[in-house]
Amino acid sequence: METSETVKEIRSRTGLNRKEFCQKFGIPLRTMEEWETGRRIPPEYIPRLMRYQFEYEKLVRDKQNG
């Protein structure tokens, strides 16, 4: 999977639109647009950190609801 597809997939799984996603992570909207279209490629650790953050938040939510 290409990095642009990975970034899109991560964002879509969160249910957030681009603006909300960018606000959550402090990423400029233009940068996110360029990552998702493949015009720019984020450092390899960025998608991994995004995924870890949302998995962590999901675990916390599940624990609080559980």
Side-chain angles (χ1 to χ4, degrees):
M1 181 181 291
E2 294 214 14
T3 305
S4 62
E5 293 171 357
T6 301
V7 171
K8 279 189 244 183
E9 184 262 334
I10 293 168
R11 183 178 60 80
S12 69
R13 287 184 57 205
T14 66
L16 300 173
N17 63 36
R18 268 191 194 147
K19 184 176 180 181
E20 294 166 336
F21 190 88
C22 289
Q23 289 173 340
K24 180 170 186 64
F25 281 103
I27 299 169
L29 182 60
R30 181 79 168 158
T31 299
M32 188 65 171
E33 289 170 349
E34 291 180 354
W35 287 351
E36 288 189 355
T37 59
R39 287 190 300 259
R40 289 178 59 194
I41 299 172
E44 69 174 79
Y45 64 89
I46 296 293
R48 192 171 47 231
L49 288 174
M50 290 176 182
R51 188 174 285 124
Y52 290 156
Q53 179 65 31
F54 279 101
E55 290 299 321
Y56 171 77
E57 290 176 4
K58 183 179 181 298
L59 287 171
V60 170
R61 273 193 314 274
D62 291 348
K63 187 173 182 175
Q64 289 174 348
N65 295 330

